[in-house]
Amino acid sequence: MPKMKTNKGAAKRFRRTGTGKIVKQSAFTSHILTSKTTKRKRNLRKASIMASGDAKRMKTLIPY
């Protein structure tokens, strides 16, 4: 059986934690920032753990 290939687009955007969860960066950070509060922009800088339903699909794209 051949090796599973990593989806390189997904590998650049997401990473796995030691326990197997998927970590992602927040969206809504690139433009139209004047209408967003400072507190909201500061919190969007943090990485967050992906929802379990989405993470299940991601684990097939990032097998290692």
Side-chain angles (χ1 to χ4, degrees):
M1 186 154 198
K3 291 182 192 177
M4 289 178 69
K5 283 193 172 181
T6 300
N7 181 298
K8 289 302 187 177
K12 290 168 189 174
R13 290 170 173 83
F14 311 107
R15 59 191 167 83
R16 285 181 106 144
T17 62
T19 56
K21 294 175 183 171
I22 306 288
V23 176
K24 66 181 183 70
Q25 283 297 321
S26 302
F28 312 111
T29 59
S30 56
H31 59 94
I32 319 176
L33 298 172
T34 51
S35 62
K36 298 177 178 95
T37 64
T38 309
K39 181 181 178 181
R40 183 176 167 195
K41 288 186 279 190
R42 185 171 59 246
N43 287 328
L44 285 171
R45 280 185 224 139
K46 302 172 188 171
S48 60
I49 293 172
M50 191 176 281
S52 60
D54 295 327
K56 204 176 288 184
R57 285 180 295 164
M58 278 294 131
K59 285 175 184 179
T60 62
L61 297 178
I62 315 168
Y64 305 108

